[in-house]
Structure formats: structure tokens, C-alpha cells
Amino acid sequence: ECAKLEAKRQAAVEEKERVEAQAAACQEKLSLAERLVNGLADEYKRWTETVKDLKDLQVKLIGNCLLSSAFVGYISPFSMKLRAQLWKE
């Protein structure tokens, strides 16, 4: 009878160790998952700010192109000498 109880105790100890190892593995996976979720949350914030900045630049793009083309159109066909002459007239 002692041998049966000892075998039963040994089986219970082995089961306990197996469950503890499984719990440790689950805890490690949970820790990795939390790090991943936190990293993705930070990425979400960064991407949200980037999208906001790009939308702002999109609004300004038309005006910047218009201003640049007006400047190039103004300085391209006329030399400084010709512009000075036009100002005198």
C-alpha cells in the first residue's frame, strides 16, 4: 500500500511540475504578446502623426506648386536687364 501511495504521490508531483512548466511557458508568451501590443500601439501613434502631417502637406502642395510655377514663369523669359528696362517704361 505504501508503494501505491508513493507512486500516486510521484505521479501527482510530475503532473504538478508539468503544469508549472506549462504555466511558465504561457507566462512567457503573454509577456511577449504584451511587448508586441505595446510596440504596435506606439507604431499606431507614429503612423497617425505621419498621416496628419502628410494631409497638411497635401493641402499646401497646390499653393506651393502655384507659387513655384509663378516664380519660374516670372524669372525665366526675362533677363534682369529686360526687367529693369520694363520697370523704367
Side-chain angles (χ1 to χ4, degrees):
E1 186 155 327
C2 279
K4 282 184 183 180
L5 289 175
E6 182 61 30
K8 195 173 183 180
R9 186 191 68 81
Q10 187 62 32
V13 168
E14 289 172 0
E15 176 70 14
K16 180 188 91 148
E17 289 173 353
R18 185 185 65 77
V19 170
E20 285 177 347
Q22 188 178 10
C26 287
Q27 191 65 30
E28 181 65 27
K29 284 182 184 179
L30 180 63
S31 174
L32 291 173
E34 286 176 349
R35 284 184 18 213
L36 177 64
V37 168
N38 290 337
L40 290 175
D42 292 341
E43 276 298 301
Y44 175 77
K45 289 176 188 174
R46 190 176 67 83
W47 277 98
T48 303
E49 290 173 8
T50 301
V51 166
K52 187 182 118 214
D53 292 343
L54 288 174
K55 283 184 179 180
D56 187 44
L57 288 174
Q58 181 183 14
V59 169
K60 294 177 182 176
L61 179 65
I62 295 171
N64 290 343
C65 290
L66 182 62
L67 185 62
S68 299
S69 63
F71 178 73
V72 169
Y74 175 74
I75 65 167
S76 295
F78 305 113
S79 65
M80 184 64 185
K81 182 178 178 184
L82 182 59
R83 277 187 294 200
Q85 182 182 356
L86 287 172
W87 271 102
K88 287 179 183 176
E89 295 176 4

